[in-house]
């Protein structure tokens, strides 16, 4: 149950995965995800009020977004990890063992937002700008659920952030051949990149950038593009060192890494195109 960061001199004894309340086992993963969700809604509502919008709109939207995004995150994971479920379809409904893919939730959240904004006759791009402040904060906090679950880690490293996990506490499928090769005889732990930590810190950085840039945005939707591009850039390199990648069927290409790169390039291209069009219109207006 111990987790350590030897190069930082940090040794954590008996880190639990869950706790019991009246005989019912509650996973810390779920508690941390819940904290992330609530924190995300709070900051989105705060940003809405700060920018002259109705915070209640975001509280209302979050009810649909949270439920549907969990479903979307599960569907994405199951699709790209089908071999784990094809022989026992009932396992699809057991999310207590993990198996939620962030990008599935992100895609579903955006789809839900555009439908909701259409029904409520709101500017979907303005809502997206506001909503992503909550989304990125929720992701930054939620990644710590992976820490208590001993999952979402990378290949072997001996860098300053190297993390040691007991072999018995991780899923056998997450121990890559490279990790196994670095285990000496009698060693009962693996030493890995704490990719959950990398992504959490990266996400907090993206959040800070979003909040700092908000007053300087040139058009509605630019903050959402900043989120998609900023998160995509970080996820692209982090995904490359993870051991629990989901692959495009029939290949060894990580699907989330490809999606991250596409979103980064797409967001950057969209931002440039919109800015060029704005300058073109401004030039025409001066004639």
């Amino acid at each position: 149950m111990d987790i350590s960061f030897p190069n930082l001199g940090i040794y954590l004894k008996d880190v639990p995965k869950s706790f019991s309340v009246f005989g019912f086992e509650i996973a810390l993963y779920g508690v941390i995800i819940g904290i992330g969700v609530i924190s995300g809604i709070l900051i989105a509502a705060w940003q809405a009020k700060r920018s002259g919008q109705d915070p209640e709109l975001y509280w209302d939207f979050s009810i649909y977004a949270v439920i549907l995004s969990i479903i979307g995150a599960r569907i994405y994971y199951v699709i790209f990890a089908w071999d784990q479920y094809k022989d026992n379809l009932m396992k699809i409904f057991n999310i207590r063992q993990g198996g939620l893919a962030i990008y599935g939730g992100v895609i579903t959240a955006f789809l839900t937002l555009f439908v909701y904004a259409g029904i409520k006759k709101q500017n979907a791009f303005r809502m997206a700008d506001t909503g992503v402040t909550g989304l990125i904060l929720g992701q930054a906090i939620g990644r710590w659920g992976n820490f208590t679950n001993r999952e979402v880690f990378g290949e072997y490293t001996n860098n300053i952030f190297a993390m040691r996990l007991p072999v018995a506490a991780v899923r056998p499928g997450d121990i890559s051949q490279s990790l196994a090769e670095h285990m000496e005889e009698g060693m009962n732990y693996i030493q890995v990149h704490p990719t959950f930590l990398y992504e959490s810190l990266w996400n907090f950085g993206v959040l800070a950038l979003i909040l700092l840039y908000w007053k300087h945005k040139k058009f509605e939707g630019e903050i959402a593009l900043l989120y998609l591009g900023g998160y995509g850039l970080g996820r692209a390199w982090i995904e490359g060192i993870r051991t629990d990648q989901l692959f495009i069927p029939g290949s060894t290409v990580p699907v989330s890494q490809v999606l991250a790169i596409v979103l980064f390039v797409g967001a950057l291209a969209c931002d440039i195109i919109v800015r060029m069009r704005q300058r073109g219109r401004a030039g025409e207006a001066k004639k």
Side-chain angles (χ1 to χ4, degrees):
M1 297 298 287
D2 299 347
I3 300 176
S4 66
F5 297 83
N7 296 336
L8 290 172
I10 298 174
Y11 297 87
L12 306 174
K13 295 288 186 180
D14 299 322
V15 179
K17 285 189 176 183
S18 61
F19 60 94
S20 181
V21 176
F22 302 116
F24 183 74
E25 206 68 18
I26 299 176
L28 280 173
Y29 176 87
V31 173
I32 294 170
I33 293 294
I35 292 172
V37 169
I38 295 299
S39 299
I41 298 170
L42 284 169
I43 196 172
W46 170 78
Q47 186 64 17
K49 183 176 181 180
R50 190 165 168 251
S51 57
Q53 303 175 71
D54 181 6
E56 291 300 320
L57 189 69
Y58 292 87
W59 283 102
D60 185 40
F61 165 69
S62 68
I63 296 172
Y64 306 101
V66 170
I67 295 172
L68 293 176
S69 292
I70 291 173
I71 295 172
R74 184 59 169 174
I75 291 173
Y76 183 103
Y77 186 88
V78 170
I79 288 173
F80 293 106
W82 181 242
D83 286 345
Q84 298 180 30
Y85 303 96
K86 64 182 181 180
D87 297 324
N88 184 358
L89 298 183
M90 293 307 296
K91 286 175 61 179
I92 293 173
F93 303 99
N94 182 15
I95 63 173
R96 286 178 60 84
Q97 300 300 315
L100 299 176
I102 290 292
Y103 264 132
V106 170
I107 292 168
T108 306
F110 272 90
L111 291 174
T112 303
L113 182 143
F114 278 92
V115 172
Y116 180 87
I119 293 172
K120 295 291 186 177
K121 295 180 172 53
Q122 298 292 317
N123 185 315
F125 296 106
R126 183 183 299 121
M127 284 197 68
D129 282 348
T130 308
V132 296
T133 59
L135 183 55
I136 194 67
L137 177 60
Q139 288 176 247
I141 295 173
R143 274 302 177 202
W144 286 87
N146 300 130
F147 170 70
T148 60
N149 258 15
R150 282 76 161 172
E151 60 187 7
V152 187
F153 51 79
E155 297 286 1
Y156 172 83
T157 185
N158 195 35
N159 73 12
I160 187 67
F161 296 109
M163 176 175 67
R164 288 181 180 176
L165 298 170
V167 171
V170 304
R171 295 175 299 210
D174 289 347
I175 301 178
S176 68
Q177 183 177 345
S178 175
L179 279 177
E181 290 172 353
H182 280 90
M183 291 176 60
E184 298 177 6
E185 187 175 350
M187 186 182 293
N188 64 352
Y189 64 84
I190 53 175
Q191 184 165 302
V192 300
H193 281 284
T195 50
F196 81 90
L197 175 62
Y198 299 164
E199 188 168 324
S200 179
L201 293 175
W202 182 274
N203 289 345
F204 276 119
V206 172
L207 174 61
L209 185 60
I210 284 172
L211 295 176
L212 288 170
Y213 185 70
W214 184 278
K215 290 183 178 180
H216 305 285
K217 70 175 184 175
K218 304 301 181 184
F219 55 89
E220 301 290 3
E222 188 174 25
I223 299 297
L225 290 176
L226 178 58
Y227 160 79
L228 291 171
Y231 177 63
L233 181 62
R235 182 62 184 268
W237 72 267
I238 292 170
E239 187 71 20
I241 57 176
R242 281 175 55 168
T243 65
D244 62 339
Q245 298 164 332
L246 299 174
F247 300 109
I248 295 174
S251 76
T252 56
V253 179
V255 61
S256 292
Q257 187 175 43
V258 172
L259 183 56
I261 293 170
V262 168
L263 288 175
F264 169 70
V265 173
L268 182 61
C270 285
D271 194 271
I272 292 171
I273 290 170
V274 174
R275 282 171 175 262
M276 288 176 64
R277 288 182 176 177
Q278 284 183 329
R279 289 172 186 167
R281 286 195 294 266
E284 289 294 325
K286 291 178 180 179
K287 292 181 179 178

